[in-house]
Amino acid sequence: MNKFLLLLFVSVLAFTNASSQRVGVVLSGGGALGIAHIGVLKALEENNIPIDYIAGTSMGALVGGMYAAGWSPDEILKYMASEDFSYAAQGKIKPGYVYYFKRKDPDAGGFSFKFSIDSIFKASIPTNVVSPKAMDFALMEHTAGPGAAANYNYDSLYIPFRCVAADVEDQKEVVFRNGNLADGMRTSASFPFYFKPISVNGRVLFDGGLYNNFPSNVMYDDFFPDYIIGSNVAGHGGKSPDEDNLFSQIRAMLMTKTNYGSICDNMVLIEPEVNIGIFDFSSIKNTYDIGYYTALTKIDTIKMLVKREVSPMQRDSARTAFKAKQPPLVFENIYVNGLNRNQNDYIMRSLSTRNKLTTIDKLRGDYFRLVSDDQFKKIYPRAKYNYERNIYDLYLDVKQDRDIIAQFGGCFSSKPINTAFLSLEYKRLGKIGQRFYANAYFGKFYGSVQAKVRLDYPTIIPFYFEADFTLNSFDYFTSRTSFFEDVQPSYLFQSERSFNFLVATPVHNKGKLAGALSLSRLRNEYYQTGTFTIADTTDRTFFNTVAVDAFYEESSLNRKQYAFGGSYFLAKLYYIFGQEEHIPGSTSFTTNNVKYTHSFLRFKVHYENYFNITKRLKLGIYGEAVVSNQPEFSNYTSTLLIAPAFQPIPESSTLFLRNFRAFNYGAVGGRVIVNIFKRFDFRLENYLFMPYKPFVETAQQTAAYGKAFSRINYMGSGALVYDSPIGPISLSGNYYQREKKPWSLIFTLGYIIFNRKANQ
């Protein structure tokens, strides 16, 4: 009887001990390598291993925070393998949320410096490689509900949670135990120079891995679990710095050595060996699998220590109960911190959600429209639940961008189209957004000066007013010679000056509707024959115009040149009224000055779109058409010069291609882009150009028309393009059918982009 009672007592004691066992899981930092943590959590759950507490640093804080917020490993994996997370991790905004209305006209700028008007000698150097805007909103969206359900106490989450950030000013770790859940996760993952740090309670906090990349001590001190299971993807002490990898050097300089060994006797360490870059999020599933299968090798060891089990039904029930406590994401009030009263008013009037209840889906669109405005250097969103009104309020921490932006760039080429570019912009933010912009291009082929002012009005229907004055000049002879050939007298020179006034309003996210009034004077100087001497004088044709146009334009292209993603559409209707004046030169058939008045309508439509066939293969389609009742000018060359030009290849915009100009035409094309490796592409482009009636030169040097649809001209290009930080580097071979020199080979560094031409 005594033996039976003793056995019963031991059994009850063992059961009580097993049922009271508490297990903490610690997840290290490690960037993209931390995806393996998801696999570790999955393996633990499948084998009914309890997870009573969780702590993490950096990527471990992101995975651990999502798990603590009630996400299952499958849900975390699905999200991190999604397009949404991919864009956020790369610092990009999904194309559907890119707000084209706020984009500036493309120019040849390659790199920029920012200054403030009150500290002109203090330049702003970027503190981050990728933009955190998309990640900030995603963290707010996915943690607002769990944070509210836990009353902003990390102990009351689905799983009690800790994460670690770094206070570099006081050189110490900061442990998050309460407050906004997104703040803790975001600061813990703010790797220096990759993600911009944020300020919490007046302290600028960085990646927790700087001082504690494996917070097992935090787990032990805060929760004192019976057992700790660690998942470490960072290695013992981290890898040695790579002489070709800036981030590995920064990590080696800044990160304090972390002890990944046992903090207590009852600890099992799982160390998935993942061989990818710290910011390489392209192998999500493979990294997850490594973590999963590595954890499976430790399950028997864990089960020898941890006798208690948690069934899938128990976990699902607890998750469901926690998620049921989360209030729906509906917002009422918006508060802005960091700006003055007028600037706050600009933001509030920019948000269509102001003064009314809004859902997270509606707020998402407004947020990405707002952050697309480069008047702002930072917009960090926080959702805070008001328990009295049972609704969320939105707090925006905003920092205005620097006032002055100087840009430098241009194009260096193997042909004499070399151009230097300089621009200066001053931005002023009050109740309206104000921009004052000027640029200049310097080169033998192209020279230009432009001054522009833009006023943005954040009304119920937002709009902007823009006025500019532009001087352009093109010397087409030099663009056809090679870099080392002697330059003879120019046979074709164009110059123009124009005043343009434009009003535009957005249409959805990708488009804008605009109307414009333009006053311009065009001057063309040219010889009527290809055989001329320096003693000959040029013909001169002047065209003074008043033009009115209306257009709809939309774009989600991912580059301003050599795009491989997104789409572009333009539909534009012009009415042009003007007077032509022709002064003949020594090579002209006629000798009398003439003047003609012209008025005509022109309609242009342009479309291009890109499709992902595989990860490395993209296909693009291209179409363009022009319809007009434009009349001929006084001679053949002046008629060609005033005619719309088909210029789909960057080099083609530097050439005077006689066979690719017409008053009425249609053109189609296709583009094949093969990504050889990151930022390095091979592009194959093919186009067919069909004028309705091609121009024909008569014996009297006037323009006549050939038969309708009698000619199709081919244009093609093959190019190797590297997208460098200062602009594209390209080597291309191009072919232009029926031109005197149909073949060309050109190397360029920088952008072949010009200020907008008059009446184009």
Side-chain angles (χ1 to χ4, degrees):
M1 184 66 177
N2 290 337
K3 290 182 179 180
F4 174 76
L5 291 176
L6 181 61
L7 181 61
L8 180 62
F9 175 77
V10 172
S11 299
V12 170
L13 185 63
F15 175 78
T16 302
N17 183 58
S19 63
S20 65
Q21 289 177 330
R22 290 292 178 261
V23 178
V25 173
V26 179
L27 308 177
S28 75
L33 290 74
I35 298 296
H37 296 322
I38 310 171
V40 171
L41 295 174
K42 178 66 173 177
L44 296 178
E45 282 202 355
E46 279 189 348
N47 287 276
N48 299 330
I49 307 297
I51 301 175
D52 300 296
Y53 317 105
I54 194 163
T57 294
S58 195
M59 192 63 185
L62 292 182
V63 173
M66 295 175 76
Y67 189 83
W71 291 50
S72 71
D74 289 340
E75 289 172 329
I76 301 173
L77 175 65
K78 181 179 179 181
Y79 173 68
M80 291 196 172
S82 70
E83 192 178 62
D84 287 349
F85 180 78
S86 176
Y87 276 104
Q90 296 176 68
K92 298 178 181 178
I93 296 173
K94 287 185 68 176
Y97 290 102
V98 174
Y99 195 34
Y100 177 63
F101 183 67
K102 290 294 185 179
R103 281 192 185 179
K104 297 181 292 186
D105 290 337
D107 56 35
F111 54 95
S112 62
F113 295 95
K114 296 183 179 181
F115 306 86
S116 285
I117 198 166
D118 56 353
S119 55
I120 194 69
F121 297 109
K122 186 177 179 180
S124 175
I125 299 174
T127 58
N128 54 295
V129 173
V130 302
S131 167
K133 296 171 184 176
M135 184 64 78
D136 290 345
F137 189 87
L139 285 175
M140 182 199 73
E141 177 180 357
H142 295 310
T143 64
N151 200 20
Y152 300 103
N153 182 346
Y154 286 17
D155 287 345
S156 299
L157 292 164
Y158 163 66
I159 300 293
F161 172 61
R162 295 289 185 269
C163 62
V164 178
D167 184 339
V168 296
E169 182 179 352
D170 290 343
Q171 297 185 3
K172 66 179 183 179
E173 67 180 52
V174 176
V175 180
F176 278 83
R177 299 178 174 91
N178 51 55
N180 188 293
L181 180 58
D183 285 354
M185 296 166 65
R186 172 68 169 79
T187 56
S188 187
S190 298
F191 191 90
F193 300 106
Y194 189 78
F195 260 154
K196 183 189 292 290
I198 64 169
S199 177
V200 179
N201 298 325
R203 309 297 288 180
V204 177
L205 302 181
F206 288 82
D207 192 298
L210 297 181
Y211 299 138
N212 189 349
N213 204 38
F214 188 68
S216 55
N217 62 321
V218 175
M219 171 64 71
Y220 190 77
D221 294 340
D222 276 30
F223 298 118
F224 199 67
D226 299 288
Y227 301 97
I228 294 177
I229 300 172
S231 178
N232 170 36
V233 296
H236 294 282
K239 296 181 179 180
S240 299
D242 184 339
E243 63 181 10
D244 297 320
N245 188 317
L246 174 63
F247 289 115
S248 71
Q249 298 167 29
I250 294 171
R251 179 173 57 185
M253 287 187 290
L254 298 180
M255 291 182 72
T256 301
K257 298 300 182 183
T258 300
N259 177 22
Y260 297 95
S262 178
I263 192 75
C264 63
D265 294 334
N266 297 329
M267 180 173 176
V268 177
L269 191 60
I270 301 168
E271 296 188 285
E273 295 185 6
V274 186
N275 188 25
I276 60 172
I278 192 171
F279 301 118
D280 181 6
F281 289 94
S282 62
S283 304
I284 299 288
K285 184 60 169 63
N286 183 59
T287 306
Y288 164 89
D289 287 341
I290 293 172
Y292 175 78
Y293 288 111
T294 304
L296 289 181
T297 66
K298 298 284 188 174
I299 292 298
D300 289 342
T301 303
I302 295 171
K303 285 190 172 183
M304 288 177 63
L305 298 171
V306 182
K307 304 301 182 183
R308 173 172 153 249
E309 293 189 352
V310 176
S311 69
M313 184 178 296
Q314 289 174 297
R315 279 201 173 93
D316 291 344
S317 177
R319 278 199 181 100
T320 301
F322 182 74
K323 290 179 179 179
K325 293 165 55 180
Q326 300 178 21
L329 280 173
V330 179
F331 295 82
E332 183 178 31
N333 297 318
I334 300 174
Y335 301 96
V336 180
N337 302 312
L339 301 178
N340 64 36
R341 193 167 120 191
N342 286 340
Q343 294 166 341
N344 284 0
D345 185 64
Y346 178 89
I347 285 189
M348 296 302 294
R349 292 194 298 141
S350 297
L351 296 169
S352 63
T353 57
R354 60 189 183 273
N355 300 325
K356 58 184 178 181
L357 301 182
T358 183
T359 64
I360 188 68
D361 290 332
K362 183 66 177 68
L363 178 65
R364 187 184 300 110
D366 281 358
Y367 169 81
F368 284 115
R369 287 188 184 128
L370 191 61
V371 299
S372 68
D373 193 330
D374 66 359
Q375 292 275 10
F376 308 110
K377 186 175 185 178
K378 181 191 81 170
I379 299 179
Y380 181 75
R382 286 185 176 94
K384 186 173 182 180
Y385 191 68
N386 189 309
Y387 293 94
E388 294 180 358
R389 301 197 317 273
N390 297 320
I391 200 164
Y392 293 90
D393 291 325
L394 178 67
Y395 291 81
L396 298 175
D397 285 349
V398 184
K399 187 173 184 180
Q400 188 180 359
D401 198 14
R402 290 186 179 269
D403 307 289
I404 301 172
I405 303 174
Q407 278 199 105
F408 304 90
C411 176
F412 174 81
S413 175
S414 59
K415 292 192 173 182
I417 59 170
N418 301 291
T419 308
F421 171 82
L422 169 66
S423 74
L424 199 63
E425 180 179 12
Y426 170 62
K427 298 182 294 185
R428 186 174 184 274
L429 182 63
K431 287 192 174 183
I432 64 173
Q434 304 167 49
R435 298 174 183 277
F436 304 90
Y437 173 85
N439 72 30
Y441 290 80
F442 308 93
K444 284 186 176 181
F445 161 68
Y446 177 64
S448 181
V449 175
Q450 183 180 80
K452 181 188 297 186
V453 59
R454 171 170 165 166
L455 306 176
D456 278 89
Y457 294 84
T459 52
I460 294 176
I461 300 177
F463 70 95
Y464 71 77
F465 170 78
E466 186 175 271
D468 72 74
F469 171 70
T470 305
L471 293 173
N472 282 325
S473 65
F474 296 86
D475 184 341
Y476 283 100
F477 179 79
T478 58
S479 69
R480 251 315 185 186
T481 63
S482 71
F483 189 78
F484 298 103
E485 286 181 322
D486 292 333
V487 177
Q488 300 176 20
S490 173
Y491 84 99
L492 198 160
F493 181 83
Q494 283 189 301
S495 65
E496 58 185 37
R497 62 175 182 262
S498 63
F499 292 91
N500 303 285
F501 308 91
L502 180 144
V503 178
T505 189
V507 179
H508 304 298
N509 270 17
K510 292 197 301 183
K512 67 180 178 183
L513 184 65
L517 170 68
S518 302
L519 308 174
S520 60
R521 177 176 174 83
L522 285 67
R523 173 174 175 163
N524 297 324
E525 299 183 31
Y526 49 91
Y527 295 99
Q528 294 273 18
T529 175
T531 56
F532 55 87
T533 68
I534 198 170
D536 285 315
T537 58
T538 60
D539 282 45
R540 288 175 290 164
T541 297
F542 300 88
F543 190 37
N544 300 315
T545 70
V546 177
V548 178
D549 64 72
F551 64 90
Y552 172 75
E553 185 176 31
E554 67 174 45
S555 177
S556 59
L557 296 178
N558 62 343
R559 291 177 183 169
K560 58 183 177 181
Q561 198 161 72
Y562 296 115
F564 62 85
S567 63
Y568 178 85
F569 176 78
L570 171 70
K572 191 168 189 176
L573 179 65
Y574 312 72
Y575 171 72
I576 300 173
F577 174 86
Q579 185 178 71
E580 174 198 3
E581 179 182 2
H582 176 239
I583 302 173
S586 61
T587 62
S588 177
F589 184 83
T590 62
T591 57
N592 297 324
N593 295 0
V594 294
K595 291 184 178 180
Y596 299 101
T597 298
H598 303 290
S599 63
F600 54 91
L601 287 170
R602 180 192 295 161
F603 177 73
K604 179 179 181 179
V605 61
H606 176 122
Y607 175 74
E608 59 185 285
N609 200 356
Y610 296 88
F611 305 91
N612 293 329
I613 305 304
T614 66
K615 182 180 177 180
R616 296 189 178 277
L617 177 63
K618 325 288 182 184
L619 292 183
I621 57 174
Y622 187 103
E624 187 172 294
V626 171
V627 179
S628 76
N629 62 345
Q630 186 170 344
E632 311 88 63
F633 270 40
S634 57
N635 60 68
Y636 173 71
T637 304
S638 63
T639 300
L640 283 177
L641 285 166
I642 204 65
F646 179 62
Q647 300 171 327
I649 297 171
E651 188 206 26
S652 64
S653 63
T654 70
L655 304 175
F656 182 62
L657 302 173
R658 295 171 180 267
N659 292 290
F660 292 89
R661 289 173 174 260
F663 290 150
N664 296 274
Y665 68 81
V668 294
R671 295 169 172 172
V672 179
I673 301 101
V674 180
N675 179 238
I676 300 173
F677 53 83
K678 189 176 182 180
R679 304 175 75 98
F680 188 75
D681 303 325
F682 171 71
R683 300 176 65 93
L684 184 64
E685 305 184 26
N686 297 276
Y687 305 94
L688 295 175
F689 172 83
M690 176 181 282
Y692 169 56
K693 291 182 178 180
F695 293 123
V696 177
E697 185 175 14
T698 68
Q700 291 76 33
Q701 297 177 335
T702 59
Y705 295 110
K707 292 183 179 180
F709 306 114
S710 61
R711 180 181 297 174
I712 297 178
N713 293 328
Y714 169 78
M715 183 187 298
S717 175
L720 291 170
V721 180
Y722 175 68
D723 182 37
S724 81
I726 61 172
I729 302 172
S730 67
L731 176 66
S732 65
N734 306 310
Y735 177 75
Y736 309 98
Q737 187 180 14
R738 293 191 175 91
E739 295 296 323
K740 289 184 178 180
K741 294 183 178 180
W743 293 98
S744 73
L745 180 67
I746 181 172
F747 169 83
T748 60
L749 166 59
Y751 294 99
I752 303 178
I753 296 177
F754 311 126
N755 285 328
R756 189 174 68 88
K757 298 182 69 175
N759 304 325
Q760 296 294 318

